[in-house]
Amino acid sequence: MKITNARLIVCSPGRNFVTIKIETDEGIYGLGDATLNGREGAVASYLQDHLIPCLIGRNPFDIEDIWQYFYKGAYWRRGPVTMSAIGAIDMALWDIKGKALQTPVYNLLGGKSRQRMLCYTHANGRTLDDTLEKVAEKMEMGFEAIRVQSGVPGLEKIYGVAEKGKAYEPAIRDGLPYEETWDTAKYLRFVPKLLEKVRDTFGEDLHLLHDSHHRLTPVEAARLGKELEAYDLFWLEDTIAAELQQGFRLIRQHTTTPLAVGEVFNTIFDCQQLITEQLIDYIRMTVSHGGGITPMQKIASLAELYQVKTGCHGASDMSPICLAACLHLNLSINNFGIQEYMGYPDLTEEVFPHGYYFERGFLYLTDQPGLGVDIDEDLAAKHPYQQAYLPVNRLTDGTLYNW
Ligand code: GCO
Ligand code: MG
């Protein structure tokens, strides 16, 4: 089999997505998700200008060699743009191989290690009471694990909280990045109250998660982790800026609250120390930004050695193709932890018809060959790309801060 063509489909059915479609001389094609929220054009150009020309004529079955060719062959390694581009190609190649062998990708990765996958969704509100209402709604839908975010008294706009009546979407499609304001003291005072209330209201069986979105220092994170111990979190996510791997040592010395990190990582080197020193409990890297299924399998294997589980980033700013790729990986590995799952707006679901499905708190894969996701190109063409930016964050005195 030979790759005859590869092209990009850039569309915005509710939000921007970049998809690669790799075609072969046997009529089989594979799809990969290359979306990097707020920086979509950079990955599209990396693929179009630099990687696609080298793909034509290659045997799509040589996945490891093609991956190494793009990773080592660039000389300039790593980084979110490079790795998202390689990740999209890798996903598409696994999709092709599955379709050619008429089997789901999880069978190529080792087969089913479980029947279904626990997932968590988001509940958020502008006030504590709004948030409680949302948690109740999600439990009604069958979710057994819920990430709880809330507006903080005294802060006008904050990460993770949706506009009234809308699904949460941080990337704004008109104008320049909008600015949020941050105050760590207010946040640290409020979050324990929030989680105490949620735990008291909904009982001990619900798995609770919370995301600090990289805004704390190690000692602040240690304090928060300690204060949240009583509310038995499934995990506390992204407490500190992810670059500071050794910062987790300090947090770890002070708290037994499980820690998760990794959505902005893109290679094994970003999490090597965190895993081998057992500084985290869950690695949150995802297939698209982590360079594909090929390296993610290796990361999961490293993590398995150190009893770290996976919890792939699955926000709705990665397309259903990436989510499906995560599900195939999740199903096949022993150290799967949980999968983030926000669901998608109807229009996105129509553009990307898929075989995976959600039922009462769990995600399931069918036995469709490949990844089991397609793209409706005609519908996609009706929703062209619109530039969008993620917000920036400033302290109350105007200092630029982590978003
Ligand atoms: C999460 C993430 C997202 C990111 C988003 C950025 O835990 O799902 O923190 O909400 O902010 O993916 O594009
Ligand atoms: Mg997060």
Side-chain angles (χ1 to χ4, degrees), residues 11-49:
C11 62
S12 196
R15 69 163 346 282
N16 291 323
F17 293 111
V18 179
T19 305
I20 188 168
K21 183 169 189 173
I22 301 181
E23 295 163 347
T24 66
D25 56 355
E26 293 184 20
I28 293 172
Y29 62 85
L31 297 173
D33 178 22
T35 312
L36 183 64
N37 203 3
R39 295 291 186 269
E40 296 85 359
V43 184
S45 150
Y46 196 92
L47 281 163
Q48 190 67 57
D49 299 337

Side-chain angles (χ1 to χ4, degrees), residues 14 43 56 87 91 105 108 128 192 214 255 296 302 314 322 331 375 399:
V43 184
I56 312 304
M91 247 181 271
V105 168
L108 306 175
L128 207 159
H214 324 279
T255 179
M296 284 292 288
L302 177 71
C322 176
L331 204 63
I375 185 163
T399 308

Side-chain angles (χ1 to χ4, degrees), residues 115-128:
Q115 300 306 314
R116 57 184 193 165
M117 292 157 273
L118 178 68
C119 63
Y120 73 91
T121 196
H122 297 186
N124 60 75
R126 295 192 66 81
T127 64
L128 207 159

Side-chain angles (χ1 to χ4, degrees), residues 120 122 147 159 211-214 237-238 263 284 313 340:
Y120 73 91
H122 297 186
R147 187 190 88 157
Y159 164 77
D211 189 347
S212 298
H213 224 248
H214 324 279
E237 176 179 337
D238 285 349
E263 65 184 43
R284 295 251 311 126
H313 185 204
E340 182 178 21

Side-chain angles (χ1 to χ4, degrees), residues 299-354:
I299 291 165
S301 295
L302 177 71
E304 186 187 356
L305 285 180
Y306 294 91
Q307 301 185 4
V308 172
K309 292 183 180 172
T310 64
C312 289
H313 185 204
S316 48
D317 50 68
M318 284 144 290
S319 85
I321 303 169
C322 176
L323 181 62
C326 291
L327 295 180
H328 285 272
L329 179 76
N330 294 343
L331 204 63
S332 69
I333 57 177
N334 182 259
N335 56 327
F336 164 70
I338 198 166
Q339 174 63 52
E340 182 178 21
Y341 176 66
M342 297 168 68
Y344 294 96
D346 291 347
L347 185 57
T348 309
E349 298 274 357
E350 274 176 63
V351 169
F352 298 98
H354 53 77

